[in-house]
């Protein structure tokens, strides 16, 4: 029976490996609910998904956006082609159809900030040879409601030699300011939570204890680049104790590889943030370890959406090869957002300890899930 005080979650496994990593998340949530008497109830929805599309000709019901509003949070596995690739009944849809629900939720629920932390946990694959890469600990905050993703434009004279395609980008002062202010607030919060070792490291290196780095491409795209730069300077003046930096997105890609340990909070437009967070995921051990959330930091009226950075990986789907860690770290972010700080931390630590204990060994989705569950209570 639903109690007034219950927190309601929608589990949306989606497609491909989304299903198996959601199984892991559900098992973990059951253990945490029991251990901490969490007032959580959830429904496992079979939409959005390509299976739903196969049945009804759309990825989710027409009133999906309204229906999800009864929940406090949405936890999603992955969207995209359902796997495995070898399945003769695989129902392949174009990306613009199968991934659309993601963008519909982000925009329709006004989830204007996407947070993607990238921290290299001990035991995670380290792709960079420099030992300082072990210190990677950044938070990329991506604009999630406008910019390059507004999908405005069109194709003139389609299919003819005179075809013209236009793709409009929209950047508002309001959207820019709230994003940048959120980045500074997060930097402040991270500074307060940072352990003594990290503080010491920053002092030794002469780094500001916290920093926000703005990303633009203002040398080639000056209109929004200048808007971002001006707003960044205005907001930064309210946070004199936080260091600032500005990188053009191409140089930022280079520095993410050359000296990623120097980044703290990174704030970027929708598209730049999308690209940089795949790179940041590799810095933290790969997409199998990269969590993500879509939130509205100003309001909890509508549900926030939690989904790992990875996609549905049809090449490995259904084989038990998917790493559920990204999904479990995403689940931890959701618990924290819902105010369940202790179980969120316990889950994060269980994932980290399990990873460390495995010492780089290849394990199945089930083995990793069992390892994490074992560490939730010990
Ligand atoms: C992501 C994805 C999406 C994006 C796609 C699936 C539309 O790459 O969440 O990073 O570009 O935002
Ligand atoms: Mn992406």
């Amino acid at each position: 029976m639903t109690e007034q005080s219950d927190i309601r979650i929608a589990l949306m496994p989606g497609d491909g490996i989304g299903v198996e990593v959601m199984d892991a998340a559900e098992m973990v949530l059951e253990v945490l609910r029991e251990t901490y008497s969490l007032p959580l109830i959830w429904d496992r929805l079979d939409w959005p998904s390509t299976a739903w599309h196969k049945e009804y000709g759309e990825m989710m019901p027409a009133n999906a956006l309204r229906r999800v509003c009864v929940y406090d949070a949405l936890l999603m596995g992955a969207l995209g082609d359902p796997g495995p690739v070898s399945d003769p009944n695989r129902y392949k849809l174009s990306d613009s159809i199968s991934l659309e629900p993601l963008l519909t939720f982000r925009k329709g629920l006004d989830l204007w900030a996407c947070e993607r932390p990238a921290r290299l946990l001990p035991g995670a694959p380290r792709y960079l040879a420099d030992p300082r890469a072990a210190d990677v600990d950044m938070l990329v905050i991506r604009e999630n409601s406008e910019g390059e993703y507004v999908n405005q434009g069109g194709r003139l004279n389609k299919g003819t030699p005179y075809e013209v395609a236009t793709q409009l980008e929209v950047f508002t002062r309001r959207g820019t300011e709230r994003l940048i202010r959120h980045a500074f607030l997060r930097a402040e919060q991270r500074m307060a939570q940072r352990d003594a070792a990290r503080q010491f490291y920053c002092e030794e290196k002469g780094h500001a204890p916290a920093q926000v780095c703005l990303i633009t491409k203002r040398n080639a795209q000056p209109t929004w680049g200048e808007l971002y730069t001006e707003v960044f300077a205005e907001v930064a003046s309210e946070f004199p104790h936080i260091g600032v930096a500005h990188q053009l997105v191409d140089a930022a890609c280079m520095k993410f590889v050359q000296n990623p340990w120097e980044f703290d909070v990174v704030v970027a437009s929708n598209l730049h943030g999308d690209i940089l967070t795949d790179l940041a995921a590799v810095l933290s051990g790969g997409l199998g370890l990269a969590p993500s959330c879509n939130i509205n930091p100003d309001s909890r009226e509508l549900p926030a959406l939690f989904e790992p950075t990875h996609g549905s990986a049809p090449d490995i789907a259904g084989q038990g090869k998917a790493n559920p860690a990204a999904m479990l770290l995403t689940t931890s972010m959701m618990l924290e957002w819902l105010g369940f700080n202790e179980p969120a931390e316990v889950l994060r630590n269980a994932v980290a300890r399990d990873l460390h204990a495995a010492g780089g060994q290849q394990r199945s989705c089930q083995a990793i899930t069992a390892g994490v569950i074992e560490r939730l209570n010990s």
Side-chain angles (χ1 to χ4, degrees):
M1 206 170 64
T2 310
E3 299 277 337
Q4 195 76 50
S5 57
D6 280 336
I7 304 279
R8 297 191 63 183
I9 305 173
L11 306 186
M12 300 170 160
D15 299 321
I17 62 164
V19 178
E20 53 217 86
V21 298
M22 186 60 83
D23 289 343
E26 193 169 359
M27 279 191 258
V28 161
L29 280 170
E30 254 152 26
V31 176
L32 291 172
R33 176 167 64 181
E34 180 73 22
T35 311
Y36 294 91
S37 308
L38 299 177
L40 278 182
I41 52 170
W42 56 81
D43 298 321
R44 195 163 163 136
L45 307 184
D46 40 13
W47 49 265
S49 67
T50 37
W52 187 272
H53 192 283
K54 198 172 180 180
E55 184 89 17
Y56 303 106
E58 52 191 3
M59 285 296 289
M60 55 186 183
N63 61 357
L65 209 47
R66 193 166 54 74
R67 283 170 66 176
V68 298
C69 289
V70 301
Y71 298 103
D72 297 287
L74 315 176
L75 188 62
M76 186 183 277
L79 287 182
D81 301 30
V85 176
S86 57
D87 181 351
N89 297 319
R90 185 162 166 250
Y91 183 68
K92 201 171 173 340
L93 288 173
S94 78
D95 284 357
S96 61
I97 295 176
S98 66
L99 304 174
E100 176 56 33
L102 253 183
L103 303 177
T104 300
F105 287 140
R106 288 179 189 168
K107 288 178 194 156
L109 300 172
D110 198 19
L111 303 172
W112 52 264
C114 174
E115 295 194 348
R116 295 187 164 170
R119 180 173 194 185
L120 189 80
L121 296 169
R126 201 185 83 207
Y127 292 98
L128 298 180
D130 193 314
R132 288 172 293 180
D135 294 326
V136 165
D137 179 9
M138 65 168 101
L139 172 65
V140 182
I141 301 182
R142 161 184 180 188
E143 206 294 316
N144 222 21
S145 64
E146 52 179 38
E148 307 89 338
Y149 275 55
V150 293
N151 195 20
Q152 288 190 9
R155 293 173 68 176
L156 262 178
N157 305 321
K158 204 169 171 183
T160 73
Y162 310 103
E163 179 161 356
V164 177
T166 55
Q167 188 89 51
L168 200 68
E169 303 184 352
V170 175
F171 298 84
T172 64
R173 180 172 278 270
R174 174 173 172 267
T176 307
E177 191 177 332
R178 67 186 179 183
L179 179 80
I180 291 175
R181 178 161 289 104
H182 179 63
F184 277 93
L185 290 169
R186 273 286 193 247
E188 217 166 38
Q189 207 177 44
R190 279 163 62 87
M191 185 166 69
Q193 288 163 353
R194 201 154 275 159
D195 57 29
R198 178 79 189 183
Q199 302 271 21
F200 179 73
Y201 173 88
C202 291
E203 278 164 29
E204 282 283 286
K205 302 272 169 194
H207 295 168
Q211 190 201 63
V212 181
C213 179
L214 172 69
I215 308 292
T216 69
K217 184 62 189 168
R218 74 175 174 204
N219 53 352
Q221 298 197 302
T223 60
W224 78 261
E226 283 163 17
L227 172 69
Y228 262 55
T229 307
E230 283 164 30
V231 172
F232 186 74
E234 283 163 27
V235 177
S237 67
E238 299 166 27
F239 297 86
H241 48 295
I242 308 242
V244 290
H246 178 200
Q247 293 290 341
L248 299 174
V249 66
D250 47 348
C253 288
M254 180 185 72
K255 290 185 176 168
F256 267 32
V257 175
Q258 233 166 20
N259 43 4
W261 49 87
E262 291 190 355
F263 290 91
D264 180 10
V265 174
V266 175
V267 63
S269 72
N270 213 331
L271 180 63
H272 290 177
D274 176 44
I275 297 166
L276 285 171
T277 51
D278 266 29
L279 181 47
V282 173
L283 300 175
S284 62
L287 280 167
L289 286 161
S292 169
C293 69
N294 306 278
I295 56 174
N296 180 338
D298 292 335
S299 162
R300 295 183 184 229
E301 213 166 293
L302 300 174
L305 170 65
F306 297 80
E307 35 126 14
T309 304
H310 65 62
S312 61
D315 53 329
I316 58 161
Q319 300 169 38
K321 289 185 183 165
N323 186 345
M327 185 78 230
L328 298 178
L329 292 169
T330 301
T331 305
S332 165
M333 288 175 93
M334 178 187 75
L335 290 170
E336 191 169 349
W337 175 257
L338 294 172
F340 303 126
N341 293 342
E342 191 185 347
E345 195 184 337
V346 165
L347 175 54
R348 202 165 49 239
N349 288 339
V351 172
R353 281 160 52 221
D354 170 70
L355 186 66
H356 192 208
Q361 200 191 325
Q362 280 284 342
R363 292 173 303 153
S364 67
C365 184
Q366 289 82 351
I368 299 173
T369 310
V372 172
I373 289 179
E374 196 186 305
R375 286 170 178 82
L376 288 176
N377 293 318
S378 61

